Amino acid sequence: DAGVIQSPRHEVTEMGQEVTLRCKPISGHDYLFWYRQTMMRGLELLIYFNNNVPIDDSGMPEDRFSAKMPNASFSTLKIQPSEPRDSAVYFCASSLVKFGHLNTEAFFGQGTRLTVV
Amino acid sequence: AQSVTQLDSQVPVFEEAPVELRCNYSSSVSVYLFWYVQYPNQGLQLLLKYLSGSTLVESINGFEAEFNKSQTSFHLRKPSVHISDTAEYFCAVIPTGANNLFFGTGTRLTVIP
């Protein structure tokens, strides 16, 4: 398996524009997580899905952020409208089992570096 | 509530010298503990984890970490570092019953030739 695949790797956009980040989890993984990494706040969980269903979106910062998982092999994180403070690296991760299980391990994608100017 | 503290944001060390990256946590429940490594321009990779059993865990590339419940610590050590160990290292916890990895702010390890 190629691992968790994120696209694009880099995105530069103007304030106010819509941004869509994409993620393909590892095949067979039931859990998918979206994280944001910034210098100020480190790594924060935004939302996670189990079997394509959003379970916890309490980390989503504002209504401008939305995430979907239309099927087991694809998820999107959308920001509309984007603002400069959204600039960060966004990571997608997937896991075969629920965290805390003995075999728990999250596999991370390479991230999308978003710059909003 | 839980938190993870990595006191050292940057650790420079000479090649073949030993290194310790510190991690302390606080939690009202028991936790599972992890170390992740992030090489430049890459995602995070699991280095090692403690879920139960022996408090000393090892990775395949020579790192080890010891869970110390009384000191609520999970420090990462390596007796002799290589240039290729230059990366950012993140300590993380999962409180039992939760489904979220809570990360520390990371420690940038730089190995000097």
Side-chain angles (χ1 to χ4, degrees), chain B:
Chain B
Q2 57 286 311
S3 66
V4 181
T5 302
Q6 293 181 249
L7 286 174
D8 305 307
S9 60
Q10 297 188 54
V11 173
V13 62
F14 286 103
E15 193 174 14
E16 298 184 1
V19 70
E20 178 181 82
L21 307 183
R22 295 180 292 168
C23 173
N24 289 88
Y25 69 91
S26 67
S27 176
S28 56
V29 299
S30 58
V31 299
Y32 304 107
L33 295 148
F34 303 79
W35 276 99
Y36 277 82
V37 58
Q38 184 179 25
Y39 298 103
N41 299 315
Q42 294 189 26
L44 283 75
Q45 303 172 32
L46 181 66
L47 190 59
L48 46 75
K49 61 184 177 184
Y50 171 78
L51 301 181
S52 64
S54 172
T55 57
L56 183 65
V57 291
E58 299 176 351
S59 72
I60 58 173
N61 58 352
F63 283 94
E64 65 177 29
E66 186 161 18
F67 169 51
N68 187 318
K69 188 175 181 179
S70 62
Q71 297 185 5
T72 60
S73 67
F74 192 54
H75 301 331
L76 182 69
R77 302 184 183 94
K78 189 170 185 179
S80 175
V81 295
H82 301 144
I83 296 291
S84 59
D85 293 325
T86 294
E88 187 137 19
Y89 293 79
F90 292 90
C91 182
V93 304
I94 300 176
T96 52
N99 205 50
N100 184 11
L101 270 168
F102 292 91
F103 286 91
T105 50
T107 298
R108 182 171 298 278
L109 173 65
T110 302
V111 180
I112 305 164

Side-chain angles (χ1 to χ4, degrees), chain A residues 1-21:
Chain A
D1 199 310
V4 177
I5 299 173
Q6 291 186 247
S7 64
R9 290 291 310 276
H10 302 273
E11 176 79 37
V12 180
T13 189
E14 291 184 346
M15 182 174 60
Q17 297 297 305
E18 177 182 291
V19 176
T20 300
L21 312 181

Side-chain angles (χ1 to χ4, degrees), chain A residues 12-40:
Chain A
V12 180
T13 189
E14 291 184 346
M15 182 174 60
Q17 297 297 305
E18 177 182 291
V19 176
T20 300
L21 312 181
R22 297 173 175 78
C23 174
K24 181 181 187 305
I26 293 173
S27 177
H29 282 193
D30 292 333
Y31 290 84
L32 183 139
F33 307 82
W34 281 101
Y35 282 86
R36 178 172 68 175
Q37 183 181 34
T38 61
M39 291 292 291
M40 291 292 292

